[in-house]
Amino acid sequence: MSRRPQTDLAVLGALSVEPMTGYALRAAIVSTLGHFWSESFGQIYPALARLEADGLVAKDDGRFTITAAGRTRLRDLLRTPVERTPPRNGLLLRLFFGSTLGEEACLDLLRDAADEAQATLATLASIRTEVEAEPDHPDKRWFLVTIAAGEATARAQARWARESLESLSPGMA
Amino acid sequence: MSRRPQTDLAVLGALSVEPMTGYALRAAIVSTLGHFWSESFGQIYPALARLEADGLVAKDDGRFTITAAGRTRLRDLLRTPVERTPPRNGLLLRLFFGSTLGEEACLDLLRDAADEAQATLATLASIRTEVEAEPDHPDKRWFLVTIAAGEATARAQARWARESLESLSPGMA
DNA sequence: AGAAACATGTAAAATGTTACATGATTGT
DNA sequence: ACAATCATGTAACATTTTACATGTTTCT
């Protein structure tokens, strides 16, 4: 699946929760989907224009609203196979050439990675608290599943970075 | 950092290990860096042409060889800040709208994710065995660090998927 | 000889980010 | 009044993938 359908998926999905302006949509994507998805303004507005032309969303009182056809399309898009993004991990690319980069710089990279993972965990913990406090939103359990995914990855990253530091410079961590 | 420098980094890094043809370079990037990096042919050949024009690599007996200037450039590139790629996780994007997608489809997605993580773990285990069997390559410890990163992530993903399945449909996993 | 793999490259299409332009509304 | 935020959009640029074209070498 090319990228465009996935942008449509994110946009229609967000609008299926509630009608929004394009600006608010962008904010919702950053704040709510931000831990596993991103779209830039340059993508969102053209996408909205396209979806509107196709009758999948309609502008109602300044806000974009998903139509019945839009909900059908959303359901279809959700069933398309998950697209595998090619991996591109700049941290590992640098560590791989560690002997050229130099040991100290590598240790710095690992410390940064550990800090970053900790920060992510803190953010996710506060999001989790918020979501758990909510009354029974129909998607609450799914929200929690995606939060758990982020937590699992961040914990794994933090642990890997700490253990690597320890194995590379024992006692210096 | 824009993408181009990172492509240069991957290409120069690979050529710093040994001289190669463009074709072999692509194969090396797929097989050796494949778990955390990727480049397509359409990127590699233009990059090689550019690097050759800049005197960072030279074509020697049919194979591209890194020059002294190229090694200096590689060292510089390795010290550039790690670029954060915007997250784009199609699996989580679908699970987030789980109530629209439907429970059964979500469980299928989670089962696939668990299987995929297991397969990744198996691949990484065999790569690890190979690397560990090697005599003392100067970069061996760094290779193992990158392998450990992949294993940590895959284990976390497998566990998250299994636990999510269990919590969503207890006893049915 | 024929098939498969090696090797190099380009063109087109799709994708995506960034910066800019413009104006309305809201809070201090 | 002024600053900040809300709101919509576009144009330029950069990136990336995909498909195609072309020829060589190696293996069976």
Side-chain angles (χ1 to χ4, degrees), chain B residues 145-166:
Chain B
V145 166
T146 63
I147 293 169
E151 288 173 330
T153 304
R155 261 196 302 272
Q157 158 126 337
R159 204 175 148 187
W160 160 77
R162 279 197 311 267
E163 289 178 357
S164 297
L165 279 169
E166 187 60 28

Side-chain angles (χ1 to χ4, degrees), chain B residues 2-4 40 43:
Chain B
S2 59
R3 178 66 201 292
R4 188 126 32 146
S40 63
Q43 301 276 108

Side-chain angles (χ1 to χ4, degrees), chain B residues 8-171:
Chain B
D8 289 359
L9 173 46
V11 168
L12 289 174
L15 292 181
S16 79
V17 177
E18 60 174 337
M20 278 176 267
T21 66
Y23 189 86
L25 178 57
R26 154 79 174 176
I29 288 176
V30 169
S31 72
T32 310
L33 308 183
H35 278 290
F36 54 82
W37 201 260
S38 76
E39 296 290 347
S40 63
F41 274 114
Q43 301 276 108
I44 289 176
Y45 281 108
L48 282 171
R50 215 166 1 88
L51 292 170
E52 193 177 14
D54 291 349
L56 304 177
V57 307
K59 209 163 183 179
D60 179 30
D61 193 22
R63 297 179 308 165
F64 292 95
T65 308
I66 191 169
T67 64
R71 287 193 188 273
T72 302
R73 179 101 179 97
L74 172 59
R75 248 173 270 261
D76 290 345
L77 287 174
L78 282 170
R79 274 155 214 288
T80 57
V82 173
E83 179 196 344
R84 218 157 303 295
T85 6
R88 221 155 263 162
N89 187 321
L91 170 63
L92 296 184
L93 183 61
R94 284 164 180 75
L95 290 177
F96 190 84
F97 300 109
S99 66
T100 300
L101 174 53
E103 172 136 358
E104 260 320 308
C106 288
L107 296 180
D108 282 344
L109 286 176
L110 285 169
R111 280 186 275 264
D112 289 350
D115 291 348
E116 190 198 311
Q118 282 304 323
T120 301
L121 278 176
T123 307
L124 287 172
S126 83
I127 295 178
R128 169 181 284 281
T129 306
E130 267 179 65
V131 171
E132 275 172 346
E134 267 188 53
D136 14 50
H137 188 290
D139 272 314
K140 178 171 171 176
R141 45 201 300 235
W142 302 112
F143 293 173
L144 291 175
V145 166
T146 63
I147 293 169
E151 288 173 330
T153 304
R155 261 196 302 272
Q157 158 126 337
R159 204 175 148 187
W160 160 77
R162 279 197 311 267
E163 289 178 357
S164 297
L165 279 169
E166 187 60 28
S167 82
L168 290 167
S169 69

Side-chain angles (χ1 to χ4, degrees), chain A residues 68-117:
Chain A
R71 287 193 188 275
T72 303
R73 178 101 179 96
L74 172 58
R75 249 172 269 262
D76 291 345
L77 287 174
L78 283 170
R79 275 156 213 285
T80 58
V82 173
E83 179 196 346
R84 218 158 301 297
T85 4
R88 222 156 263 163
N89 186 321
L91 170 62
L92 295 184
L93 183 60
R94 284 164 180 76
L95 289 177
F96 190 84
F97 300 110
S99 66
T100 300
L101 174 52
E103 172 135 359
E104 260 319 307
C106 289
L107 297 180
D108 282 344
L109 285 176
L110 285 169
R111 280 186 276 262
D112 288 350
D115 291 348
E116 191 198 311

